[in-house]
Amino acid sequence: MKILANDGIDAAGKSILMEAGFDVVTDKIPQEELESRITDFDVIIVRSATKVTEKIIRASNLKLIARAGVGLDNIDLRTAGELGIPVVNTPNASSRSVAELVFAHAFSIARMLFLTNRIMPDFGKEQFKELKNTASAGFELTGKRMGIIGFGRIGQEVAKIAVGLGMEVLVYDYKSRSFDIIVELHEMYRQHNFKVTLKGQPLDVVLKTSDFISIHTPGSEEVIGELELSMMKKSAILLNCARGGVVNEKALNQAISDNKIAFAGVDVFENEPPVNDTLLKLKNTSLSPHIGASTAEAQLRVGIELAERIVAHLK
Ligand code: 3PG
């Protein structure tokens, strides 16, 4: 059996597959050549970069499609389903890393690191005092309100960190549209005597009253557009480490340019790589190139979990 890990796989995962007798190819095949070269492989492993399209699936003899990560939006699930090709992913492995990136952006914005890191290499000597003044308008996360939209695995990790920082947490469970308190988490916080309000809230309450708003909905359906942005505080900070399409980029760009909200932390883009640099050039944004799951720990867990799933499926 031959496996193509087209966006790579952690060495530990690769070893598990090779020890199980699979031939693992990690040389990347360009997207445009995949349709003609996929017949050589029994399994394809992808991250988000490679698109497993209908044409590729139909041209293949694939026995399994494996996503080394969470999102399945780059895989044509309908065609895979129609042809009876199973699709596996690793929904748990990267939650903590994504949640930590949310706070990397939150801290970067709160202490203006995103700005000083851009300016200091060129002007750190000459404009030290001015920069110190600009970056002295920082604030602590403690005591601020974190609004979490979407309360699956990642949203819950974000809540845990926020609580640890002494933030107030408001949750809107977008998927089920339920405002129920997530009982176990609430109980856990109560036992540990955290001063926290963790409760499901109607979306408008989360939008209108949160200092930070972090989105963790599944899929790439738009959640934040012009209307939602207009409901946020002028000082609000929007964090998107979910999917590009979840926030309307044009509306976000406009809202920040017009000072309707203060800042955004953005890890994901409507198109990757982005087709225009509107958001990239905005002053009040902390940016990263879709690296939520890209930590050594997450990729190790992803690699091992996925390899074990593949072996279990095919042996
Ligand atoms: C995911 O869906 O797992 C994350 O967005 C990470 O995607 P990546 O592995 O392609 O970086």
Side-chain angles (χ1 to χ4, degrees):
M1 286 249 189
K2 212 167 163 189
I3 299 181
L4 172 65
N6 210 42
D7 299 322
I9 182 165
D10 184 89
K14 188 176 176 184
S15 298
I16 293 172
L17 293 169
M18 288 170 71
E19 275 161 28
F22 296 108
D23 180 7
V24 184
V25 175
T26 51
D27 297 330
K28 192 172 179 75
I29 298 182
Q31 183 73 43
E32 59 280 8
E33 292 175 27
L34 260 180
E35 193 185 331
S36 58
R37 295 173 60 187
I38 194 67
T39 42
D40 292 347
F41 300 95
D42 302 287
V43 178
I44 185 168
I45 301 176
V46 295
R47 289 180 62 177
S48 58
T50 300
K51 314 292 171 221
V52 187
T53 61
E54 176 174 358
K55 281 185 176 172
I56 291 168
I57 298 174
R58 289 200 188 281
S60 77
N61 303 310
L62 289 173
K63 295 172 184 60
L64 185 68
I65 299 170
R67 165 66 160 106
V70 185
L72 297 171
D73 44 324
N74 55 324
I75 297 169
D76 187 334
L77 294 176
R78 204 181 45 82
T79 307
E82 188 193 310
L83 299 179
I85 304 169
V87 177
V88 291
N89 67 344
T90 55
N92 301 306
S94 49
S95 307
R96 185 70 189 188
S97 292
V98 178
E100 289 192 9
L101 183 67
V102 168
F103 286 92
H105 282 296
F107 279 116
S108 167
I109 289 167
R111 304 309 294 269
M112 300 214 176
L113 305 183
F114 70 95
L115 187 68
T116 52
N117 276 330
R118 285 184 205 178
I119 298 176
M120 286 195 78
D122 291 331
F123 303 105
K125 276 197 287 182
E126 298 78 5
Q127 297 182 15
F128 192 88
K129 277 188 186 163
E130 293 84 340
L131 267 170
K132 180 169 168 140
N133 278 341
T134 310
S136 291
F139 57 89
E140 295 179 351
L141 269 62
T142 303
K144 304 297 181 299
R145 180 173 286 185
M146 172 65 82
I148 300 175
I149 301 178
F151 207 53
R153 297 174 186 89
I154 300 172
Q156 291 179 28
E157 284 300 322
V158 170
K160 286 183 199 165
I161 300 173
V163 166
L165 288 167
M167 301 180 85
E168 185 183 359
V169 178
L170 292 182
V171 171
Y172 176 70
D173 187 356
Y174 193 80
K175 196 178 169 193
S176 64
R177 293 182 191 273
S178 126
F179 308 141
D180 293 346
I181 294 168
I182 309 297
V183 180
E184 304 92 76
L185 271 178
H186 189 261
E187 190 53 27
M188 189 180 90
Y189 298 143
R190 203 185 53 75
Q191 280 171 11
H192 288 81
N193 208 16
F194 287 124
K195 287 192 181 72
V196 62
T197 313
L198 177 71
K199 51 187 167 189
Q201 292 282 344
L203 184 56
D204 60 339
V205 176
V206 175
L207 294 174
K208 282 177 184 164
T209 67
S210 297
D211 301 300
F212 290 86
I213 295 166
S214 193
I215 307 155
H216 300 289
T217 51
S220 39
E221 192 187 320
E222 185 174 307
V223 177
I224 303 291
E226 199 182 333
L227 175 69
E228 289 74 21
L229 285 158
S230 74
M231 292 164 81
M232 295 177 194
K233 292 185 188 183
K234 278 196 170 358
S235 58
I237 296 162
L238 180 67
L239 303 165
N240 185 10
C241 294
R243 276 291 177 272
V246 160
V247 175
N248 184 311
E249 275 179 17
K250 215 168 145 216
L252 176 62
N253 181 33
Q254 202 60 50
I256 294 182
S257 306
D258 297 348
N259 298 317
K260 297 252 170 65
I261 71 164
F263 297 100
V266 183
D267 181 54
V268 285
F269 298 84
E270 276 170 10
N271 294 290
E272 294 183 1
V275 288
N276 63 55
D277 58 9
T278 344
L279 262 189
L280 308 182
K281 292 277 164 64
L282 268 186
K283 220 174 76 183
N284 288 354
T285 50
S286 173
L287 302 166
S288 54
H290 198 154
I291 54 163
S294 299
T295 61
E297 294 83 355
Q299 286 309 310
L300 177 66
R301 289 191 294 264
V302 165
I304 292 174
E305 196 179 315
L306 195 69
E308 286 172 348
R309 282 181 183 217
I310 293 171
V311 173
H313 252 275
L314 297 177
K315 284 275 160 170

